[in-house]
């Protein structure tokens, strides 16, 4: 049995990994470079218990545990910056002035005078982080050792399904055709384009442009993540073990797959990275005097109901989809990959995935 995976983000890469672990060979087709989109430009924050009461709770808990197991197996601490951390939330209020009691509850580098309402919202028992690009690269290296093939600069331009033979013929850029019985669609926010080949896929898969910068502060920051709310907006800061801080926020209206900028060509919108720099200056003297190394944008993958789409595409034997993981795609990637591998190998997922059914939006 062989599998073709369309999309080399974290979801496609984790699927290839768990298939390889189960002894199944796969080929990953990636339009640009591995993890060039959200999977390489995300915060990499992981929380085990932040989704209780939602449909993704079990997925999140099991996936967090898989991340911890992978970090042990793959030396995550040294290979991709896996570590536990403490998490705070704060709000910014322009009119306020420096409050000693407020700042006493926060790490010293969060010294901005407009910081208000600090609250510790997570700790090292259930919060962790990793560098998502380095994680994908490490997993790719292990996959290559297990025989997985990665074809980059390879765009999936058409998929033809022949019900009688159950064969799927995938046309890639240049007109070359590849055939397989099992296809996984993991093209993140661009997955909606596959509806032209599989009409039972949801009409509404979106991408929401989000911005991020990395800053090398003048003095080192402690392992404390910060969720900031200011006005109608929000942003996050994740200090990383390599000394940089990843700062993200400033989202725009969601757009359907067919209206997105193509992979590799998603540029920051004017003023958005500058707004993140200004926010850093307001939050911390250390960040204010630091150097901005990266300014970038990418798409958060969304669905209409906020839940991911994971499972078999109805009426098309051997076609699977995993997309729309929203702001928890890094967290939920290992378990999603495992679910897909289990579905392909044994026809059954180890957890109830009915709430993620791709057919749930049928009109
Ligand atoms: C600013 C930001 C911060 C985030 N922080 C976190 C966080 O801290 N923790 C967390 O859990 N999640 C976080 N996320 C969410 C997470 O990044 C995403 O949910 C996850 O990366 C989605 O992975 P993916 O593989 O589905 O999609 P993507 O990463 O978008 O990958 C899809 C891939 O498909 C390829 N592709 C597209 N079309 C084609 C085609 N026709 N042929 C071949 N290949 C194609 C693309 O090039 C791309 O590489 C964040 C997201 C953003 C935007």
């Amino acid at each position: 049995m062989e599998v073709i995976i369309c999309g080399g983000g974290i979801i496609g890469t984790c699927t290839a990994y768990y298939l390889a672990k189960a002894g199944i060979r796969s080929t990953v087709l990636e339009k640009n470079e591995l993890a060039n989109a959200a999977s390489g430009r995300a915060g990499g924050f992981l929380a085990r218990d932040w989704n209780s009461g939602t449909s993704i709770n079990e997925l999140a808990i099991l996936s967090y545990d898989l991340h911890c197991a992978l970090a042990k197996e793959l030396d995550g601490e040294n290979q991709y910056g896996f570590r536990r951390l403490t998490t705070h939330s704060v709000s910014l209020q322009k009119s306020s002035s420096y409050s000693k009691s407020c700042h006493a509850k926060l790490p010293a580098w969060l010294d901005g005078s407009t910081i208000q309402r600090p609250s510790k919202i997570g700790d090292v028992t259930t919060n962790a982080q990793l560098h998502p690009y380095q994680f994908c690269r490490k997993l790719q290296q292990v996959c290559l050792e297990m025989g997985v093939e990665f074809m980059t600069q390879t765009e999936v331009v058409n998929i033809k399904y022949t019900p009688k033979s159950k064969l799927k013929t995938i046309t890639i850029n240049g007109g070359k055709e590849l055939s397989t019985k099992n296809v996984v669609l993991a093209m993140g926010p661009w997955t909606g384009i596959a509806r032209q080949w599989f009409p039972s896929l949801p009409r509404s898969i979106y991408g929401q442009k989000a911005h991020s910068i990395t800053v090398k502060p003048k003095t080192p920051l402690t392992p404390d993540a910060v969720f900031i709310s200011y006005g109608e907006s929000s942003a996050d800061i994740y200090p990383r073990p390599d000394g940089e801080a990843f700062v993200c926020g400033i989202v725009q209206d969601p757009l359907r797959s067919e209206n997105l900028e193509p992979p590799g060509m998603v540029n920051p919108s004017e003023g958005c990275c500058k707004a993140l720099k200004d926010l850093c200056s307001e939050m911390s003297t250390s960040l204010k005097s630091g150097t901005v190394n990266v300014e970038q944008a990418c798409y958060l993958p969304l669905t209409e109901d906020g839940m991911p789409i994971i499972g078999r595409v109805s009426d098309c034997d051997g076609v699977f989809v995993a997309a729309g993981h929203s702001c928890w795609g890094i967290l939920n990637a290992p378990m999603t990959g495992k679910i897909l591998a289990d579905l392909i190998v044994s026809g059954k997922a180890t957890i109830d995935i009915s709430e993620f059914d791709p057919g749930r939006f049928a009109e």
Side-chain angles (χ1 to χ4, degrees):
M1 190 200 294
E2 288 204 14
V3 180
I4 290 184
I5 299 168
C6 306
I10 196 166
I11 302 293
T13 310
C14 282
T15 305
Y17 174 79
Y18 285 104
L19 279 169
K21 282 274 192 187
I24 306 291
R25 248 186 61 86
S26 68
T27 302
V28 178
L29 308 180
E30 165 52 50
K31 180 168 176 171
N32 191 254
E33 294 299 328
L34 190 92
N36 75 92
S39 299
R41 296 163 193 247
F45 178 72
L46 313 172
R48 190 174 193 270
D49 55 354
W50 282 21
N51 288 290
S52 63
T54 76
S55 308
I56 63 164
N57 189 39
E58 191 181 10
L59 182 72
I61 290 172
L62 294 172
S63 211
Y64 185 93
D65 293 348
L66 283 180
H67 265 302
C68 294
L70 282 171
K72 272 197 190 135
E73 191 183 319
L74 307 176
D75 187 19
E77 199 180 314
N78 293 308
Q79 297 290 324
Y80 51 82
F82 181 89
R83 70 174 174 185
R84 316 270 173 170
L85 80 176
T86 304
T87 311
H88 310 265
S89 78
V90 299
S91 62
L92 291 184
Q93 258 142 37
K94 287 274 176 218
S95 56
S96 59
S97 58
Y98 187 86
S99 145
K100 218 172 175 180
S101 63
C102 156
H103 285 80
K105 295 181 187 152
L106 291 168
W109 58 270
L110 286 167
D111 55 2
S113 64
T114 56
I115 296 176
Q116 291 292 305
R117 300 170 64 189
S119 168
K120 190 169 138 190
I121 52 172
D123 65 27
V124 292
T125 56
T126 57
N127 287 184
Q129 73 178 144
L130 51 74
H131 191 305
Y133 181 75
Q134 292 171 2
F135 172 79
C136 291
R137 283 290 175 181
K138 177 64 192 173
L139 216 57
Q140 180 192 35
Q141 182 204 322
V142 179
C143 282
L144 286 167
E145 286 161 12
M146 292 193 288
V148 177
E149 193 181 348
F150 287 84
M151 293 171 63
T152 55
Q153 302 301 332
T154 302
E155 179 181 6
V156 174
V157 292
N158 190 36
I159 306 181
K160 208 171 91 196
Y161 172 56
T162 313
K164 207 168 166 197
S165 64
K166 297 189 175 153
L167 217 59
K168 288 98 204 164
T169 307
I170 302 177
T171 311
I172 57 174
N173 45 339
K176 192 176 166 193
E177 292 186 340
L178 309 167
S179 286
T180 182
K181 285 204 168 170
N182 291 291
V183 180
V184 174
L185 305 169
M187 298 178 288
W190 295 276
T191 305
I193 61 157
R195 195 166 189 268
Q196 60 189 310
W197 313 315
F198 305 107
S200 70
L201 277 176
R203 185 182 294 277
S204 307
I205 296 177
Y206 302 96
Q208 182 172 33
K209 196 185 258 193
H211 296 81
S212 56
I213 59 174
T214 67
V215 187
K216 179 88 180 172
K218 270 262 149 48
T219 48
L221 309 184
T222 51
D224 291 273
V226 194
F227 286 68
I228 309 148
S229 59
Y230 58 106
E232 303 283 287
S233 309
S234 64
D236 315 337
I237 302 179
Y238 306 103
R240 286 178 167 161
D242 62 8
E244 281 200 325
F246 175 93
V247 184
C248 65
I250 321 285
V251 294
Q252 296 176 330
D253 288 343
L255 298 171
R256 282 199 175 153
S257 297
E258 55 274 24
N259 298 324
L260 301 177
E261 291 161 69
M265 298 175 74
V266 184
N267 295 311
S269 304
E270 202 174 333
C272 293
C273 292
K274 161 90 171 51
L276 288 175
K277 272 191 249 177
D278 292 346
L279 180 73
C280 286
S281 299
E282 197 171 338
M283 293 291 295
S284 162
T285 314
S286 236
L287 288 172
K288 186 178 180 180
S289 55
T291 313
V292 174
N293 288 333
V294 174
E295 298 186 0
Q296 60 191 3
C298 62
Y299 290 114
L300 193 64
L302 297 174
T303 61
E304 198 130 300
D305 61 4
M307 289 296 129
I309 295 166
I310 307 170
R312 203 179 274 109
V313 175
S314 61
D315 306 333
C316 299
D317 209 17
V319 182
F320 304 85
V321 61
H325 285 69
S326 175
C327 60
W328 290 118
I330 305 299
L331 170 66
N332 290 326
M335 194 57 197
T336 300
K338 189 166 183 330
I339 288 170
L340 286 175
D342 288 341
L343 277 179
I344 292 168
V345 174
S346 69
K348 267 204 224 137
T350 43
I351 63 168
D352 179 9
I353 53 166
S354 53
E355 298 223 33
F356 312 137
D357 186 353
R360 69 186 184 274
F361 303 100
E363 287 142 19

